[in-house]
């Protein structure tokens, strides 16, 4: 089923400069896989080398954080909107 | 890759410095709201935010996703864009750390102010490479008044 993925402004350059992309998926994991299959350059900004979502990348279905749902197994239905929101972290590391 | 300078008013830099002094020896953080387009970028306003890293605020900062969404909403309400972030490095150079690089995205401007013994020193800005391997320094151009982009 078709779900909309909102592309955050910093990553639009890697998604054909689009604000949103429609993908066919039954779960959040499938949606992100479909998205990165279409736009390979997005992958390294969303996923770490081990294939997991980067720790600072948060995903919402409509307004719900998937960490409090079924994570990447969270099911999606036609018309749902997936948002990708970073948390911003850093520091001296000293 | 070269970028246009980040334009910012001196008064805004002073507010970033003041925030870094206020939270010293902890790191401060906040959002840069502004405009980006046609090869020009300008920070128009700031949104100071709480450092959510209660466990290690002297050498870490975190802006939660909820605060990021608040910053995006605030930018939209002010007809601006969320163009980047600022944070302080207490008693450390104004250079991005490996930890900074691991937690960054390209496109955003990342301003870092070094606060040494409670006094603001160097201020730098950085943009992450497309391949995530390193940062490019971003020139900071102080302006008297906001330019129209």
């Amino acid at each position: 089923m078709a779900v909309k993925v909102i592309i955050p402004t910093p990553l639009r350059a890697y998604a054909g400069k689009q604000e949103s992309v429609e993908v066919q998926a039954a779960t959040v994991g499938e949606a992100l896989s479909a998205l990165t299959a279409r736009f390979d350059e997005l992958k390294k900004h969303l996923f770490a080398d081990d294939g997991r979502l980067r720790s600072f990348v948060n995903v919402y279905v409509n307004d719900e954080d998937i960490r409090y749902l079924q994570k990447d197994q969270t099911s999606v239905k036609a018309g749902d909107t997936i948002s990708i929101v970073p948390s911003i972290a850093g520091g001296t590391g000293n | 890759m070269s970028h246009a300078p980040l334009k910012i008013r001196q008064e805004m830099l002073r507010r970033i410095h003041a925030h870094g002094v206020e939270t010293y020896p902890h790191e401060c953080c906040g959002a840069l709201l502004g405009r980006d387009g046609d090869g020009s970028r300008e920070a128009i306003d700031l949104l100071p935010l709480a450092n959510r890293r209660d466990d290690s605020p002297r050498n870490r900062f975190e802006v939660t996703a909820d605060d990021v969404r608040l910053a995006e909403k605030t930018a939209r309400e002010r007809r601006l864009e969320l163009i980047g972030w600022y944070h302080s490095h207490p008693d450390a150079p104004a250079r991005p750390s490996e930890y900074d690089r691991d937690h960054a995205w390209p496109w955003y401007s990342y301003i870092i102010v070094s606060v040494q013994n409670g006094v603001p020193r160097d201020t730098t800005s950085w943009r992450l490479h497309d391949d995530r391997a390193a940062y490019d320094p971003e020139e900071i151009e102080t302006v008297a008044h906001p330019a129209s982009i």
Side-chain angles (χ1 to χ4, degrees):
Chain A
M1 51 208 80
V3 296
K4 185 162 85 170
V5 184
I6 307 284
I7 309 297
T9 306
L11 300 187
R12 285 180 192 159
Y14 314 105
K17 298 185 176 175
Q18 297 178 81
E19 291 183 17
S20 65
V21 174
E22 203 162 89
V23 295
Q24 296 291 328
T27 65
V28 169
E30 286 180 20
L32 295 179
S33 293
L35 179 71
T36 52
R38 198 184 308 174
F39 300 105
D40 185 54
E41 287 290 297
L42 272 178
K43 192 179 277 181
K44 61 179 171 292
H45 301 299
L46 299 179
F47 295 98
D49 292 341
D50 63 5
R52 294 184 189 188
L53 267 182
R54 289 187 178 276
S55 59
F56 68 95
V57 174
N58 308 277
V59 178
Y60 294 77
V61 174
N62 302 323
D63 243 2
E64 295 282 334
D65 187 334
I66 63 166
R67 265 183 302 226
Y68 304 110
L69 300 171
Q70 285 79 48
K71 299 182 180 172
D72 61 349
Q73 294 302 309
T74 302
S75 58
V76 288
K77 60 184 187 304
D80 278 349
T81 298
I82 295 175
S83 305
I84 301 165
V85 181
S87 43
I88 306 299
T92 64
N94 290 339
Chain B
M1 184 178 170
S2 65
H3 301 284
L6 171 65
K7 295 179 183 171
I8 187 166
R9 296 193 310 282
Q10 191 69 44
E11 170 265 336
M12 283 179 54
L13 284 178
R14 278 197 292 269
R15 283 166 61 196
I16 292 172
H17 293 169
H19 195 189
V21 170
E22 178 193 331
T23 61
Y24 180 89
H26 296 172
E27 298 200 5
C28 73
C29 54
L32 303 172
L33 314 183
R35 298 201 176 100
D36 178 86
D38 295 332
S40 180
R41 171 171 287 198
E42 179 168 6
I44 308 277
D45 207 353
L46 298 179
L47 185 65
L49 293 163
N51 180 357
R52 304 292 187 184
R53 278 298 296 265
D54 295 336
D55 58 325
S56 190
R58 283 171 182 259
N59 64 355
R60 293 278 188 265
F61 80 93
E62 182 178 3
V63 177
T64 61
D66 282 345
D67 283 345
V68 172
R69 298 213 295 175
L70 169 70
E72 287 175 341
K73 181 168 176 281
T74 304
R76 279 196 302 274
E77 286 169 355
R78 297 180 189 178
R79 298 177 182 271
L80 298 171
E81 278 187 273
L82 175 55
I83 61 167
W85 304 93
Y86 71 86
H87 72 282
S88 62
H89 280 182
D91 298 319
R95 298 187 61 81
S97 63
E98 276 299 292
Y99 190 83
D100 285 330
R101 188 174 62 81
D102 277 344
H103 294 79
W105 270 348
W107 191 84
Y108 282 139
S109 294
Y110 292 93
I111 288 181
I112 302 176
V113 56
S114 169
V115 182
Q116 303 278 349
N117 295 314
V119 178
R121 301 290 186 190
D122 297 339
T123 305
T124 56
S125 187
W126 306 83
R127 288 176 71 164
L128 187 68
H129 284 195
D130 284 341
D131 64 4
R132 308 188 59 80
Y135 282 94
D136 283 322
E138 180 180 52
E139 184 187 343
I140 296 176
E141 181 183 328
T142 52
V143 294
H145 302 288
S148 54
I149 293 174

